[in-house]
């Protein structure tokens, strides 16, 4: 067993790895940039070494500095987590050259599967179906044009060394291909130092389903089932669940067997993930790529299988045999994970760096929160804006959704914008609840949100119009009442006036009659 492991990462995954070390009574060593001097993972580790300035190219991607930090602290092994150098074969070799153990797959496996084109060739050799397209990088837009015409539009251009949606372009027509080829190649060169591209035929409305695999140094390879990763934004996964709501008892063993074949083909050791596109209508699946590392979404597999994947990674790296066989793996219940990002959903999900001023973390039955932040943590502009992962487990998918709703409502973060409100809407969306998922889910979800917003505005307009109409009617009625009242007053006044006139005239007539009688009497007397 290792006595000391250096964690070559930051944030929530560094915290996750430190906790696994604690469980195994291993002393964890952290590395950090100048910007992360007060980070949670630094405070939790037994030792911490500063490896450079804030930019990741000068710190978390600095191979020499990380290996030297391991030597200084007398660490025996290095765990890369995910991201940064986790799938860098040169880093794995540098670790070995420094007399240390790299907790991950062999460098050769990382190289083979790190190139999307060589990975596709390996899948073909293993007898696993791939998305129709090229298995070699293309040299020019004209070559891409010829291949696209062969397979038919739409097609997808992808970076050979790519990942995370970088260097990827959807091409719907020949007129779009030249500019898409140039922009995808430029982006790939900036992100990966490799501008080469390959081409795939677009599978319409596919599900993105991945299989977790695990191997040891003795040739034992198993799969731990699938994760549904179809809910993506800009080709980045944001919600993952295990198992897939597709509910096909025959699909898991078929895909699992295919994933194990690919892992065996490259002598894979450790935790890895084989990703597939699944045609929801036919249930046919196609190899997409392999991630030669621990996945961000590994907690949902751990919650459903009960297997600690990080602990198993460490044990296998010490030379231990896998602690479980394929027959011993059981899947119980359902788990769903949301990736919490410091970003503003109302501003096109623009990053929201800043200081966390308030933090209320959910808990309770079935809730797991993997986080690398606390109150007063500075969310830096230099790194990925993901600050935590929230997962919920339930005996059924519906129970998991109910618990996730409750947890999302409890979760409060102050000082920065987050995508919490976005997730609160997703878990209440009828299509999500029904499990009708594919890689176009977010696009349709946004369209439904916009339609609902327009409906609400229309209803509000109608209510306002009705309110104004009612006000006009009420005003008219009130005016009519006032007019009638005034008319009655006038009539009564007129009647009163007429009565006065009649009375006055009668009195005058009577007075004159009396006078006339008196005058007549006087004349008679005379």
């Amino acid at each position: 067993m290792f006595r000391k492991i250096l964690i070559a990462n930051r944030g929530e995954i560094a915290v996750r790895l430190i906790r696994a070390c604690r469980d195994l009574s291993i002393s964890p060593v952290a590395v950090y940039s100048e910007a992360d001097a007060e980070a949670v993972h630094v405070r939790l580790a037994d030792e911490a070494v500063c490896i450079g300035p804030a930019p990741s190219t000068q710190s978390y991607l600095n191979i020499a500095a990380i290996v030297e930090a391991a030597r200084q602290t007398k660490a025996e092994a290095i765990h890369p987590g995910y991201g940064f150098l986790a799938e860098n074969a040169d880093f794995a070799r540098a670790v070995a050259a420094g007399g240390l153990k790299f907790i991950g797959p062999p460098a050769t496996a990382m190289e083979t599967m790190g190139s999307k084109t060589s990975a596709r060739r390996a899948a073909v050799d293993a007898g696993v179906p791939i998305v129709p397209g090229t298995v070699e990088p293309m040299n020019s837009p004209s070559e891409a044009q010829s291949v696209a015409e062969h397979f038919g539009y739409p097609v997808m251009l992808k970076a050979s060394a790519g990942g995370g949606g970088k260097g990827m372009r959807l091409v719907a027509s020949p007129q779009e291909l030249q500019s898409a080829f140039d922009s995808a190649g430029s982006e790939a060169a900036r992100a990966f130092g490799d501008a080469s591209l390959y081409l795939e035929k677009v599978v319409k409305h596919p599900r993105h389903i991945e299989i977790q695999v695990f191997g040891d140094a003795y040739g034992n390879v198993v799969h731990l089932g699938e994760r549904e990763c179809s809910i993506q934004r800009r080709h980045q996964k944001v919600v993952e669940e295990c198992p897939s709501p597709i509910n096909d008892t025959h699909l898991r063993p078929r895909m699992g067997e295919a994933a194990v074949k690919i892992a065996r083909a490259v002598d894979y050791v450790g935790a890895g993930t084989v990703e597939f596109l699944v045609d929801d209508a036919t249930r046919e699946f196609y190899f997409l790529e392999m991630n030669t590392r621990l996945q961000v979404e590994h907690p949902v597999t751990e919650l459903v299988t009960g297997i600690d994947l990080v602990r198993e990674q460490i044990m296998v790296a010490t030379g231990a045999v896998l602690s479980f066989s394929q027959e011993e793996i059981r899947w119980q219940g359902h788990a769903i994970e949301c990736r919490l990002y410091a970003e503003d959903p109302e501003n096109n999900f623009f990053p929201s760096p800043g200081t966390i001023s308030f933090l209320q973390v959910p808990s309770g039955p079935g809730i797991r929160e993997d986080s690398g932040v606390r109150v007063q943590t500075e969310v830096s502009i230099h790194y990925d804006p993901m600050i935590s992962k929230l997962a919920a487990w339930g005996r059924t998918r519906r129970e998991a959704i109910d618990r996730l709703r409750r947890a999302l409502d409890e979760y409060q973060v102050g000082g920065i914008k987050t995508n919490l409100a976005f997730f609160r809407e997703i878990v209440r969306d009828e299509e999500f609840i029904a499990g009708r998922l594919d890689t176009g889910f977010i696009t349709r979800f946004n369209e439904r949100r916009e339609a609902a917003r327009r409906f609400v505005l229309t209803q509000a307009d109608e209510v306002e119009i009705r309110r104004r109409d009612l006000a006009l009617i009420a005003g008219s009625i009130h005016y009519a009442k006032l007019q009638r009242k005034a008319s009655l007053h006038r009539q009564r006044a007129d009647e009163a006036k007429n009565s006065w006139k009649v009375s006055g005239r009668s009195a005058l007539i009577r007075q004159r009659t009396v006078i006339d009688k008196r005058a007549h009497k006087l004349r008679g007397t005379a």
Side-chain angles (χ1 to χ4, degrees):
M1 180 60 69
F2 300 123
R3 291 178 297 103
K4 187 180 291 189
I5 292 176
L6 183 136
I7 312 299
N9 218 299
R10 66 180 299 279
E12 59 84 20
I13 186 57
V15 172
R16 167 74 180 93
L17 300 179
I18 288 169
R19 287 173 173 157
C21 287
R22 295 282 187 218
D23 290 345
L24 292 168
S25 299
I26 297 171
S27 177
V29 179
V31 293
Y32 64 94
S33 70
E34 292 172 357
D36 279 341
E38 299 297 321
V40 174
H41 77 280
V42 174
R43 291 174 174 268
L44 287 178
D46 288 343
E47 301 173 72
V49 180
C50 181
I51 52 174
S56 58
T57 54
Q58 301 175 49
S59 52
Y60 296 106
L61 294 174
N62 189 333
I63 293 175
I66 292 172
V67 173
E68 180 58 29
R71 286 177 182 158
Q72 289 176 7
T73 57
K74 295 182 171 52
E76 300 157 280
I78 295 179
H79 197 308
Y82 50 70
F84 291 131
L85 296 169
E87 294 180 278
N88 189 308
D90 291 337
F91 180 53
R93 290 195 176 95
V95 170
L100 305 162
K101 182 67 178 179
F102 180 77
I103 302 178
T108 52
M110 294 169 69
E111 284 178 330
T112 299
M113 305 314 287
S115 166
K116 302 300 184 287
T117 50
S118 64
R120 284 164 64 83
R121 287 196 299 271
V124 171
D125 292 342
V128 175
I130 64 172
V131 178
T134 61
V135 293
E136 298 291 344
M138 297 175 296
N139 298 312
S140 66
S142 60
E143 183 181 354
Q145 187 83 51
S146 177
V147 174
E149 289 175 358
H150 172 74
F151 287 108
Y153 290 92
V155 297
M156 188 74 79
L157 292 175
K158 292 185 176 182
S160 297
K166 292 182 173 62
M168 184 182 296
R169 296 291 186 278
L170 175 65
V171 184
S173 68
Q175 292 74 27
E176 300 175 15
L177 197 139
Q178 176 75 55
S179 61
F181 191 94
D182 293 341
S183 61
S186 297
E187 187 175 73
R190 290 193 302 271
F192 314 112
D194 182 352
S196 64
L197 305 172
Y198 70 101
L199 181 147
E200 286 181 346
K201 172 68 178 171
V202 170
V203 179
K204 294 183 178 180
H205 309 300
R207 286 180 179 263
H208 187 146
I209 297 179
E210 61 189 25
I211 300 290
Q212 176 72 59
V213 294
F214 219 110
D216 63 22
Y218 307 98
N220 300 305
V221 182
V222 301
H223 75 84
L224 291 93
E226 80 280 8
R227 293 187 289 258
E228 174 85 51
C229 304
S230 296
I231 301 183
Q232 303 175 7
R233 185 176 56 78
R234 298 171 187 160
H235 306 293
Q236 286 276 21
K237 304 164 189 172
V238 292
V239 178
E240 300 98 348
E241 55 185 299
C242 176
S244 167
I246 203 168
N247 290 327
D248 189 324
T249 56
H250 302 291
L251 190 59
R252 176 184 288 166
R254 289 171 55 215
M255 292 180 68
E257 182 182 353
V260 168
K261 283 182 179 179
I262 290 173
R264 289 188 188 279
V266 293
D267 299 321
Y268 199 82
V269 176
T273 300
V274 182
E275 304 199 359
F276 297 92
L277 290 182
V278 179
D279 187 322
D280 203 10
T282 65
R283 299 298 164 90
E284 294 299 318
F285 60 87
Y286 307 95
F287 171 76
L288 188 62
E289 63 182 2
M290 183 177 188
N291 293 307
T292 55
R293 55 172 166 79
L294 188 70
Q295 287 284 86
V296 176
E297 56 272 21
H298 75 274
V300 294
T301 296
E302 292 184 328
L303 287 169
V304 171
T305 64
I307 296 172
D308 185 331
L309 297 179
V310 178
R311 181 189 182 101
E312 202 69 24
Q313 279 186 300
I314 295 172
M315 296 303 297
V316 165
T318 67
V321 177
L322 270 178
S323 65
F324 49 85
S325 66
Q326 188 67 65
E327 293 71 29
E328 292 173 319
I329 299 171
R330 296 288 183 271
W331 294 270
Q332 296 184 340
H334 200 101
I336 308 173
E337 175 185 287
C338 295
R339 301 186 187 188
L340 182 61
Y341 285 95
E343 58 188 14
D344 185 1
E346 301 304 318
N347 187 23
N348 199 29
F349 293 91
F350 198 76
S352 177
T355 301
I356 296 176
S357 59
F358 176 79
L359 187 62
Q360 178 177 289
V361 177
S363 59
I367 300 303
R368 169 173 168 173
E369 196 257 357
D370 287 25
S371 173
V373 299
R374 56 183 173 80
V375 174
Q376 296 304 313
T377 289
E378 180 76 20
V379 179
S380 173
I381 61 173
H382 296 287
Y383 312 115
D384 186 272
M386 189 176 75
I387 57 178
S388 74
K389 299 177 305 194
L390 178 64
W393 178 90
R395 291 166 298 177
T396 64
R397 185 172 186 266
R398 186 54 196 248
E399 185 175 62
I401 290 173
D402 290 341
R403 286 176 168 176
L404 186 57
R405 283 180 185 171
R406 180 250 301 167
L408 286 167
D409 289 343
E410 286 182 17
Y411 214 145
Q412 301 293 328
V413 183
I416 58 172
K417 300 284 187 180
T418 72
N419 56 352
L420 276 169
F422 181 70
F423 287 132
R424 289 175 188 139
E425 290 187 58
I426 285 182
V427 297
R428 289 171 170 83
D429 180 75
E430 292 182 0
E431 293 294 300
F432 173 77
I433 294 170
R436 291 190 284 268
L437 312 177
D438 60 53
T439 54
F441 175 87
I442 291 291
T443 298
R444 297 193 305 277
F445 172 73
N446 287 333
E447 289 172 352
R448 290 194 294 275
R449 291 175 76 204
E450 180 59 25
R453 187 187 70 83
R454 288 197 300 268
F455 176 76
V456 169
L457 290 176
T458 301
Q459 293 294 99
D461 289 343
E462 290 180 0
V463 169
E464 179 63 17
I465 291 169
R466 289 173 185 170
R467 187 190 68 77
R468 291 176 183 175
D469 288 345
L470 288 173
L472 182 60
I473 293 169
S476 299
I477 293 172
H478 181 64
Y479 179 75
K481 286 181 177 179
L482 289 176
Q483 289 294 96
R484 184 179 179 188
K485 187 175 182 180
S487 176
L488 288 172
H489 279 301
R490 285 194 301 270
Q491 182 179 350
R492 287 170 182 169
D494 289 343
E495 289 175 355
K497 183 177 179 182
N498 292 338
S499 298
W500 177 82
K501 286 181 179 179
V502 170
S503 177
R505 288 172 180 171
S506 298
L508 183 61
I509 291 170
R510 286 195 300 273
Q511 185 179 10
R512 286 180 176 177
T513 301
V514 172
I515 292 171
D516 289 342
K517 285 181 178 181
R518 287 178 180 175
H520 181 71
K521 187 176 181 180
L522 288 173
R523 283 195 297 271
T525 303

